[in-house]
């Protein structure tokens, strides 16, 4: 596994070198995403940051985000988070998805609700001030009461009583060829009706607006001043470069 991670970092470094001509000195944000960067050791992430600096993409960045999964943060502990901060990370986006163990199990997530909370507090205690969490809606098994409870737990996840700076919430989509699509085709599971999805979204917007969040993009809500700089650039059609498997640039 370690060898695989190292080969990945080497490949990314090579791609950055080959595409150095596309990179300008106007790069001011860095986003390491794809859902599971937190499986990578700090040494590999460090190699990636070093490779970018060698082609002119060096910090400090106005925003340096890394996506993480709760289970990785719990397993690796505060030392890992402190290492991220030393690399220059100043924003963490964590895929919580739900605070209901039944839904997390249905989604085949490795973490449970307790570890989602634990991971959040590890991030917070290690010194990460700008934390974003992801939530999912549009599931038929989410009752109005459960959705209200989910939103309440999201807002109170901090042990310090400070709500997350940013919350992203996405409606579940069934991708063709996925395991979920197969369940739908077999009649084992049915997608939530549009009316239910709309009601959950409306409640999401209402609760977060009341809590003081700015609904600055379809799926994104931020406390004032914590709108995602990197993601917002997409909507303004700001040129960016994407490196890695499945990445693209425009």
């Amino acid at each position: 596994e370690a060898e695989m991670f190292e080969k990945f970092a080497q490949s990314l470094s090579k791609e950055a070198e080959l595409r150095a001509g596309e990179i300008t000195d106007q790069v001011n944000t860095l986003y390491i995403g794809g859902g599971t960067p937190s499986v990578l050791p700090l040494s590999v992430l460090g190699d990636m940051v070093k490779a970018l600096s060698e082609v002119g993409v060096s910090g400090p960045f106005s925003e340096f985000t890394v996506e993480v999964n709760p289970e990785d943060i719990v397993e690796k502990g505060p030392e890992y988070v402190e290492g991220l901060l030393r690399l220059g990370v100043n924003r963490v986006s964590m895929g919580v998805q739900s605070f209901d163990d039944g839904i997390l199990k249905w989604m085949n997530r490795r973490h449970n609700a307790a570890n989602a909370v634990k991971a959040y507090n590890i991030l917070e205690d290690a010194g990460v001030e700008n934390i974003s969490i992801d939530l999912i809606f549009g599931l038929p098994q989410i009752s109005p009461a459960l959705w209200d409870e989910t939103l309440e737990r999201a807002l109170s996840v901090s042990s310090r009583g400070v709500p997350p700076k940013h919350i992203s919430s996405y409606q579940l989509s069934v991708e063709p060829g996925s395991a979920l699509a197969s369940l739908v085709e077999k009649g084992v599971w049915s997608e939530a009706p549009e009316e239910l999805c709309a009601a959950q979204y409306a409640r999401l917007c209402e609760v977060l607006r009341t809590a003081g969040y700015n609904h600055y993009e379809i799926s994104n809500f931020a406390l004032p001043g914590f709108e995602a700089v990197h993601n917002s650039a997409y909507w303004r059609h700001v040129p960016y470069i994407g490196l890695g498997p499945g990445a693209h640039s425009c």
Side-chain angles (χ1 to χ4, degrees):
E1 188 174 79
E3 183 180 354
M4 178 183 66
F5 289 150
E6 290 175 4
K7 286 184 177 180
F8 171 77
Q10 291 169 3
S11 298
L12 192 74
S13 299
K14 185 62 176 178
E15 183 183 4
E17 181 183 338
L18 291 172
R19 300 178 64 191
E22 302 174 43
I23 301 172
T24 72
D25 58 6
Q26 296 178 352
V27 175
N28 66 343
T29 65
L30 179 60
Y31 195 105
I32 301 181
T36 54
S38 53
V39 301
L40 297 172
L42 284 172
S43 60
V44 173
L45 288 169
D47 288 343
M48 291 163 55
V49 171
K50 180 181 178 182
L52 290 172
S53 69
E54 291 174 350
V55 295
V57 181
S58 58
F61 299 96
S62 61
E63 184 182 272
F64 181 171
T65 303
V66 170
E67 290 187 2
V68 304
N69 284 336
E71 57 268 28
D72 293 326
I73 298 304
V74 170
E75 289 172 7
K76 297 182 178 183
E79 296 81 7
Y80 185 81
V81 182
E82 291 163 2
L84 292 177
L85 293 174
R86 285 194 297 271
L87 288 177
V89 172
N90 56 21
R91 183 175 183 271
V92 172
S93 176
M94 184 164 66
V96 172
Q97 311 308 345
S98 177
F99 289 96
D100 180 82
D101 286 342
I103 289 177
L104 290 169
K105 185 176 181 180
W106 178 82
M107 295 178 68
N108 291 320
R109 300 297 300 223
R110 285 192 289 140
H111 70 276
N112 55 24
N115 273 349
V117 175
K118 184 176 182 180
Y120 187 96
N121 288 302
I122 288 174
L123 292 172
E124 192 175 49
D125 291 344
V128 183
E129 295 184 5
N130 192 352
I131 305 174
S132 176
I133 62 173
D134 289 354
L135 299 175
I136 193 102
F137 71 94
L139 279 69
Q141 58 265 55
I142 299 179
S143 66
L146 178 56
W147 189 224
D148 277 355
E149 180 185 344
T150 299
L151 297 174
E152 181 181 344
R153 294 191 70 179
L155 292 172
S156 60
V157 64
S158 167
S159 63
R160 303 180 182 184
V162 180
K165 298 295 191 296
H166 191 280
I167 295 176
S168 297
S169 190
Y170 304 98
Q171 181 178 320
L172 178 72
S173 59
V174 180
E175 298 297 329
S178 66
L180 192 55
S182 177
L183 295 178
V184 173
E185 291 169 4
K186 294 175 182 177
V188 177
W189 185 81
S190 298
E191 294 183 72
E194 289 184 8
E195 295 79 8
L196 179 61
C197 294
Q200 291 177 0
Y201 183 69
R203 184 59 176 160
L204 166 75
C205 297
E206 177 187 4
V207 170
L208 295 188
R209 180 176 62 251
T210 302
Y213 285 80
N214 174 25
H215 188 184
Y216 71 99
E217 188 269 329
I218 296 171
S219 302
N220 290 297
F221 305 79
L223 293 178
F226 289 93
E227 294 81 1
V229 177
H230 185 91
N231 292 0
S232 297
Y234 298 150
W235 291 88
R236 301 197 312 274
H237 301 286
V238 175
Y240 66 92
I241 183 166
L243 304 172
H248 62 280
S249 61
C250 70

